[in-house]
């Protein structure tokens, strides 16, 4: 009797689950709640926005202006030649660009920036022969300096506007940042009239590969991917482009070769931000001392940018600053605390600064370890910008952190996809505007986005 | 010859549960959008192939009464080795795959020797070898991700169709051929029967003259070969590999284990089939495609595993309870003494 009951229970559970699942897709646009970002849409830009830019410009090396230039896609409405069929859609896009604001009162769909790419003598393999402390070693990872002659045959833009188009967003994994990003993505899509599905592989590479296949199978109008891994991205975007679907990459940079299969990359210039942060740190250390690094997940672009970006900057500008260690303990505060405590024991007074890839749990762990060892003299910088991170900056526990607008990241992706649907030539690389948060200007970035 | 009566009872459902669940999932697929498209079938089976290789190795060792938990790390190492050898040493893909597979054989051999000759419990030996493999991987690639670069020849071949009208990738077809090859070994050869016998009762097998140690080593070697070959091919199929593969989300190892249990392989050894595991893994692959949310995938697969384990435990308890008893003796006695009702 027991056996029979269990067998029936097993079959029944599977049947119910499967039946339930067939009715449960990803986040459907029709069911999507309005995000906090969307609710901000009607809020006029407060005076905090201009203050932020002013404060930002006062922070050391905070402005990207000298190296950045406006992307071609960011031309004013009057200068853009939009096909007749897309004009109504484009007007809607312009309205969304004007009205949508981030929770910290910055434009959510601000125009992208492009950076000048320095010339190097040699291909990626030749550059990798250089020492890891040489900037050029990372040239192809940093600048997405891909061979454009090898570009795939991209799908033609329908040039009839973004309204009614369906976009599938495949994020990298569950995190407070991701929640903030997806909410902003939904808000931006709603504002411009696009529908969406969102898949979350929970940081699993194989799962993301499966989602890419599922997304292709759904035949959406465009697919936006935040790659879990930079190397794997090439294969993912190749599949999407080979299937005749426009592929867009957001947030994390892929390998340079992947750009052959991507219509446009949108996201932060992590390398540049971390270099400016490192320059600020090096100056405060007066060009000497020891630095240790806690990395992002191995393999993703933040792993390289947030570790080797500052390391190469310090090596170039402050050669007397020594790299003590690099560790990848993940994002658990307790694990990071243990690593930092070990460093303090091992390196003693030689440890003068720590560079973190994350300003939330990693920062909490590192700060706790320094406080426990009464080593508050150790300067800690991090990539951000989270609520915990900003609180630590305000309290002085974090010396500084980069400002990466999460909602702006999503907004830029939606803007770029929309412009492509409107038949506008979009820049292949669109960076977010960049800034550094310090104790002096922390209030300019409140309330935090995540 | 006595004709067997077909009865739709708990025993039948249990015996054929992997097939029934697959049918159930496929029926559910009728109600899902874009489920029965050639692209989806090809993608789902192709992406699920790595786990089939791992499940194959795990099943064989489980039938032999042990547990090989190194399969996941071994497959990752083989993938990294294959991609690294092709990128750095410029070796042809075929040679890289063979080397990857041979590394799997070596790992299986070491595991077999640790378990049989040094009498280390397979669980402990597996954990040790996992750490060794992980360390070797970090040393080999320095934590970096390795990829196929711009050489898409084998990648396109494995992703493409072998038989034009069949929506199945070459990778999946190779996997299926290997599975059926191992099934033949297990079912129709002395080695296969010995693996079952050793797993069922090692002492009896020894008394029957079976060289138990050699059989167990052979099971580990086949497991290592499957992990090595599957991993090497998967590295090319997916285009890249890194050390932390499978550590996030739903671990392929746990999926392989779940499929073994759902398939009906006895966790105490002696009973099982790679075909059951194969069918269960295909079922899980389609189940994952049905539920687009990772959280739901984890929940459903976990629930299925727990239910199967509960069922197996209760069934074993009931079997043990009546083991050695002859309930018909009482009826025979009554018949002989004329007291039967």
């Amino acid at each position: 009797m027991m056996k029979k009951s269990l067998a029936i229970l097993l079959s029944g559970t599977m049947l119910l689950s499967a039946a339930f699942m067939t009715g449960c897709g990803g986040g459907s646009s029709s069911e999507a709640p309005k995000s906090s970002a969307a609710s901000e849409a009607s809020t006029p830009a407060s005076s905090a926005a201009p203050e932020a830019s002013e404060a930002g410009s006062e922070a050391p090396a905070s402005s990207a202006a000298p190296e950045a230039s406006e992307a071609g896609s960011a031309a004013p409405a009057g200068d853009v030649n939009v096909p007749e069929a897309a004009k109504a859609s484009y007007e809607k896009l312009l309205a969304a660009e004007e009205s949508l604001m981030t929770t910290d009162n910055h434009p959510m769909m601000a125009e992208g920036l492009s950076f000048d790419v320095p010339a190097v003598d040699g291909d990626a393999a030749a550059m990798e022969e250089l020492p890891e402390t040489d900037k050029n070693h990372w040239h192809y990872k940093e600048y997405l300096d891909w061979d454009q002659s090898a570009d795939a045959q991209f799908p033609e833009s329908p040039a009839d506007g973004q309204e009614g188009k369906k976009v599938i967003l495949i994020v990298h994994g569950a995190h407070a940042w991701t929640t903030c990003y997806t909410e902003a993505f939904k808000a931006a899509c709603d504002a411009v009239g696009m529908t969406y599905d969102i898949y979350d592989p929970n940081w699993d590479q194989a799962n993301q590969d499966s989602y890419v296949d599922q997304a292709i199978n759904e035949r959406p109008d465009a697919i936006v991917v935040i790659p879990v891994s930079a190397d794997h991205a090439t294969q993912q975007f190749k599949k999407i482009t080979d299937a005749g679907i426009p592929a867009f990459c957001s947030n994390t940079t892929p390998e340079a070769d992947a750009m052959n299969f991507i219509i446009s990359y949108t996201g932060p210039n992590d390398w540049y931000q971390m270099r400016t942060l490192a320059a600020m740190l090096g100056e405060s250390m007066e060009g000497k001392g020891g630095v240790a690094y806690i990395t992002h997940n191995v393999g993703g672009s933040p792993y390289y940018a947030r570790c080797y970006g500052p390391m190469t900057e310090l090596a170039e500008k402050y050669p007397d600053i020594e790299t003590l260690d690099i560790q990848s303990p993940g994002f658990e505060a307790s694990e990071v605390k243990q690593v930092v405590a070990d460093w303090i024991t091992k390196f003693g007074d030689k440890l003068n600064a720590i560079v973190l890839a994350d300003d939330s749990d990693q920062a909490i762990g590192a700060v706790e370890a320094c406080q426990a060892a009464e080593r508050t003299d150790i300067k800690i910088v991090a990539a951000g910008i989270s609520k915990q991170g900003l609180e630590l900056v305000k309290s002085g526990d974090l010396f500084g952190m980069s400002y990466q607008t999460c909602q702006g990241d999503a907004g830029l992706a939606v803007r770029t996809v929309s412009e492509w649907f409107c038949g506008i030539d979009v820049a292949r690389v669109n960076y977010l505007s960049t800034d550094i948060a310090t104790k002096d200007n922390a209030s300019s970035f409140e309330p935090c986005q995540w | 010859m006595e004709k067997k009566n077909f009865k739709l009872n708990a025993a039948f459902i249990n015996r054929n549960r992997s097939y029934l669940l697959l049918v159930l999932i496929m029926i559910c697929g009728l109600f899902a959008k874009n489920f029965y498209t050639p692209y989806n079938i090809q993608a789902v089976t192709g992406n699920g192939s790595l786990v089939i290789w791992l499940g194959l190795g795990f099943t064989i060792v489980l039938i032999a009464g042990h547990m090989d938990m190194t399969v996941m790390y071994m497959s990752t190492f083989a993938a990294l080795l294959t991609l690294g050898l092709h990128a750095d040493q410029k070796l042809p893909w075929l040679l890289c795959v063979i080397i990857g597979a041979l590394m799997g054989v070596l790992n299986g051999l070491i595991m077999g020797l640790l378990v049989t000759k040094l009498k280390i419990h397979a669980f402990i030996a597996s954990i040790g070898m996992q750490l060794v493999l992980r360390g070797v991987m970090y040393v080999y690639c320095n934590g970096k991700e390795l990829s196929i670069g711009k050489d898409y020849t084998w990648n396109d071949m494995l992703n493409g169709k072998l038989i034009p009208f069949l929506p199945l990738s070459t990778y999946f077809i190779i996997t299926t051929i290997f599975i059926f090859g191992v099934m033949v070994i297990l079912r129709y050869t002395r080695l296969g029967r010995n693996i079952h016998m050793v797993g069922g009762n090692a002492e009896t097998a020894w008394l029957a003259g079976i060289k138990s140690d050699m059989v167990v080593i052979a099971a580990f070697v086949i497991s290592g070969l499957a992990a090595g070959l599957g991993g090497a091919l998967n590295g090319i199929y997916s285009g890249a590999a890194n050390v932390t593969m499978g550590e996030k989300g739903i671990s392929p190892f746990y999926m392989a284990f779940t499929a073994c249990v759902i398939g009906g392989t006895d966790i105490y050894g002696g009973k099982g089939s790679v075909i059951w595991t194969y069918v269960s893994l295909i079922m899980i692959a389609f189940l994952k495609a049905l539920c687009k949310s990772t959280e739901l995938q984890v929940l459903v697969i976990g629930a299925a595993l727990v239910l199967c384990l509960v069922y197996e435990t209760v069934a074993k308890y009931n079997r043990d309870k009546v083991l050695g008893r002859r309930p018909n003796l009482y009826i025979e006695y009554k018949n002989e003494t004329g007291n039967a009702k």
Side-chain angles (χ1 to χ4, degrees):
Chain A
M1 187 64 191
M2 181 72 174
K3 281 162 68 178
K4 192 172 182 178
S5 305
L6 277 170
I8 292 167
L9 186 61
L10 173 65
S11 307
T13 308
M14 294 297 290
L15 177 63
L16 281 174
S17 315
F20 174 64
M21 283 171 313
T22 52
C24 296
S28 156
S29 54
S30 57
E31 296 166 359
K34 292 282 179 191
S35 71
S36 59
S39 64
E40 294 287 332
S42 58
T43 311
S46 76
S47 57
E51 279 171 21
S53 59
E54 273 178 35
S57 63
E58 283 167 18
S62 64
S63 170
E67 291 185 31
S69 58
E70 284 183 8
S73 60
D79 299 344
V80 178
N81 186 18
V82 182
E84 194 60 38
K87 273 194 173 155
S89 265
Y90 189 64
E91 290 299 323
K92 195 165 188 174
L93 172 62
L94 290 178
E97 285 170 17
E98 294 221 344
S99 62
L100 282 185
M101 301 295 287
T102 61
T103 49
D104 53 0
N105 287 316
H106 294 78
M108 192 198 279
M109 298 178 78
E111 60 197 2
L113 304 170
S114 61
F115 281 66
D116 294 331
V117 179
V120 286
D121 191 18
D123 59 7
M127 291 300 105
E128 286 189 6
E129 296 295 318
L130 299 170
E132 289 186 341
T133 48
D134 189 321
K135 273 184 180 178
N136 286 338
H137 179 103
W138 309 102
H139 174 85
Y140 287 92
K141 283 195 190 300
E142 177 173 359
Y143 292 102
L144 295 172
D145 192 6
W146 73 101
D147 176 10
Q148 297 201 20
S149 64
D151 277 351
Q153 182 68 41
F154 292 117
E156 286 277 317
S157 165
D160 56 358
Q162 79 283 352
E163 277 187 286
K165 296 286 192 298
K166 183 183 177 182
V167 180
I168 291 183
L169 167 68
I170 305 172
V171 298
H172 38 29
H175 191 272
W177 181 93
T178 315
T179 308
C180 177
Y181 180 96
T182 51
E183 290 301 312
F185 191 90
K186 290 173 186 175
C189 281
D190 287 340
V192 300
M194 288 198 291
T195 59
Y196 49 81
D197 266 345
I198 297 172
Y199 299 159
D200 178 0
N202 205 14
W203 305 104
D204 183 11
Q205 182 58 65
N207 230 7
Q208 191 172 55
D209 288 345
S210 300
Y211 277 137
V212 166
D213 283 320
Q214 281 191 32
I216 293 169
N217 188 48
E218 295 288 324
R219 304 301 304 175
D221 297 297
I223 297 175
V224 180
V225 183
I226 303 179
V228 169
S229 121
D231 273 301
H232 236 91
T234 309
Q235 177 68 10
Q236 293 174 336
F237 287 110
K238 181 176 181 290
K239 267 188 177 181
I240 297 169
T241 301
D242 285 351
I245 299 170
F248 295 84
C249 181
S250 179
N251 185 252
T252 56
T253 51
E255 278 291 293
D257 292 342
M259 287 303 294
N260 291 132
F261 307 100
I262 296 170
I263 287 182
S264 181
Y265 163 78
T266 62
N269 190 340
D270 227 1
W271 287 87
Y272 179 79
Q273 287 188 320
M274 293 308 285
R275 287 195 198 290
T276 54
L277 198 59
M280 185 179 84
L281 180 68
E283 192 182 338
S284 74
M285 292 169 71
E286 296 174 347
K288 54 184 186 293
V291 182
Y293 297 83
I294 295 210
T295 74
H296 206 272
N297 286 328
V298 177
S301 67
Y303 167 78
Y304 299 106
R306 297 178 188 182
C307 177
Y308 295 103
M311 188 191 293
T312 51
E313 183 74 11
L314 290 174
E316 185 182 85
K317 289 189 176 163
Y318 305 101
D320 291 337
I321 291 180
E322 186 188 358
T323 297
L324 299 175
D325 198 7
I326 304 170
Q327 291 284 336
S328 308
F331 291 88
E332 294 287 330
S334 57
E335 296 286 328
V336 175
K337 187 177 176 182
Q338 185 60 52
V339 168
V340 174
D342 290 346
W343 278 344
I344 291 170
T345 308
K346 184 178 174 186
F347 299 117
D349 291 340
K350 283 176 74 181
L351 178 66
N352 306 113
I354 297 170
V355 178
L356 305 171
D358 165 61
D359 69 337
S360 51
D361 290 345
Q362 282 192 356
I364 290 167
V367 167
E368 280 181 2
C370 290
Q371 286 174 344
E374 297 180 350
R375 286 293 312 275
T376 48
D377 59 300
I378 295 174
K379 290 186 168 66
I380 305 173
V381 293
I385 187 172
S386 71
K387 193 175 178 182
Q388 294 103 314
L390 203 64
E391 289 300 323
L392 291 172
V393 168
K394 282 161 68 180
S395 67
D397 292 319
L398 271 188
F399 182 64
M401 64 183 185
S402 58
Y403 172 73
Q404 286 192 0
T405 166
C406 172
Q407 293 167 342
D409 206 343
L412 181 58
V414 174
R415 174 186 174 132
T416 307
V417 173
S418 302
E419 286 178 339
W420 184 81
F421 279 132
C422 287
I424 300 168
D425 282 338
V426 294
R428 297 292 295 279
V429 177
N430 285 291
Y431 287 123
L432 294 166
S433 58
T434 183
D435 225 325
I436 299 293
T438 62
K439 194 174 180 178
D440 298 332
N441 67 0
S443 59
S444 310
F445 304 106
E446 289 183 308
C448 280
Q449 297 180 13
W450 60 281
Chain B
M1 192 174 171
E2 192 184 345
K3 192 182 171 185
K4 280 187 178 177
N5 289 326
F6 170 77
K7 280 184 183 174
L8 183 61
N9 54 17
F12 174 83
I13 292 172
N14 182 45
R15 206 166 43 243
N16 299 288
R17 63 191 182 198
S18 51
Y19 300 100
L20 291 173
L21 287 171
L22 179 60
V23 170
L24 197 65
I25 296 297
M26 301 314 269
I27 290 171
C28 290
L30 291 170
F31 305 101
K33 197 179 160 197
N34 293 330
F35 187 78
Y36 283 107
T37 62
Y39 185 88
N40 194 41
I41 293 168
Q42 186 175 341
V44 167
T45 50
N47 292 337
S49 293
L50 172 67
V51 194
I52 295 176
W53 289 95
L54 305 188
L56 163 73
F58 196 80
T59 304
I60 290 176
V61 176
L62 206 58
I63 294 171
H66 295 277
M67 202 175 271
D68 186 1
M69 300 199 307
T70 63
V71 286
M72 179 65 230
Y73 283 102
M74 187 54 238
S75 68
T76 306
F77 179 46
L80 286 169
L81 195 63
T82 303
L83 297 174
L85 287 173
H86 184 73
D88 299 335
Q89 270 68 48
K90 311 292 178 200
L91 296 181
W93 281 123
L94 182 62
L95 190 56
C96 297
V97 170
I98 291 171
I99 292 171
L102 288 177
M103 285 308 294
V105 170
L106 180 65
N107 176 63
L109 192 62
I110 293 169
M111 274 297 297
L113 291 172
L114 288 175
V115 170
T116 56
K117 301 301 177 190
L118 296 181
K119 307 293 179 198
I120 300 172
H121 194 284
F123 184 78
I124 308 295
S126 288
I127 289 174
M129 281 304 288
Q130 276 184 1
L131 293 174
V132 169
L133 284 169
R134 203 183 154 110
V136 169
M137 285 191 282
Y138 270 110
V139 169
Y140 180 69
C141 64
N142 201 19
K144 289 177 192 165
E145 193 172 33
L146 302 178
S147 75
I148 55 172
K150 290 183 178 176
D151 185 356
Y152 292 107
T153 46
W154 271 52
N155 175 273
D156 286 341
M157 184 265 288
L158 288 174
N159 277 283
K161 292 177 188 170
L162 188 64
I163 306 162
F165 60 86
L166 214 58
L168 299 171
S169 64
T170 307
Y171 180 36
F172 179 73
I173 290 177
I174 293 171
T175 307
T176 304
I177 292 169
F178 195 87
I179 284 279
F180 278 89
V182 174
M183 184 268 286
V184 168
I185 291 173
L186 279 180
R187 195 171 288 181
Y188 301 110
T189 67
R190 181 182 292 177
L191 173 65
R193 287 190 291 273
N194 288 352
I195 288 175
H196 278 93
M197 198 162 175
V198 168
N201 192 322
E203 198 177 338
T204 311
W206 183 79
L207 288 170
I210 295 170
K211 292 177 180 173
S212 306
D213 286 359
M214 292 304 292
V215 170
V216 171
I217 290 172
F220 273 107
V221 166
I222 295 172
S223 172
L225 174 65
L229 186 55
L233 291 174
N234 191 66
I236 304 170
Y237 171 82
S238 61
N242 64 50
V243 178
T244 56
M245 269 170 69
E247 289 183 2
K248 303 267 168 60
I250 309 173
S251 166
F253 171 75
Y254 289 117
M255 276 213 285
F257 175 70
T258 305
C260 283
V261 176
I262 292 175
T265 301
D266 193 337
I267 51 175
Y268 303 101
K271 181 190 147 197
S273 160
V274 290
I275 296 296
W276 293 345
T277 304
Y278 173 74
V279 173
S280 300
L281 282 165
I282 292 174
M283 182 272 292
I284 289 177
F286 279 107
L287 181 72
K288 283 180 69 186
L290 264 181
C291 46
K292 289 170 186 168
S293 152
T294 308
E295 293 78 13
L296 263 181
Q297 292 173 9
V298 174
L299 181 70
V300 173
I301 293 170
L305 174 64
V306 170
L307 280 172
C308 287
L309 283 173
V310 169
Y311 183 92
E312 288 295 328
T313 308
V314 171
K316 186 175 187 308
Y317 172 77
N318 286 335
R319 273 201 309 273
D320 288 351
K321 216 162 54 173
V322 295
L323 199 66
R325 289 189 195 169
R326 296 179 64 188
N328 57 330
L329 270 184
Y330 179 70
I331 298 166
E332 285 171 22
Y333 165 76
K334 291 281 185 185
N335 284 336
E336 284 173 14
T337 54
N339 292 328
K341 285 182 181 174

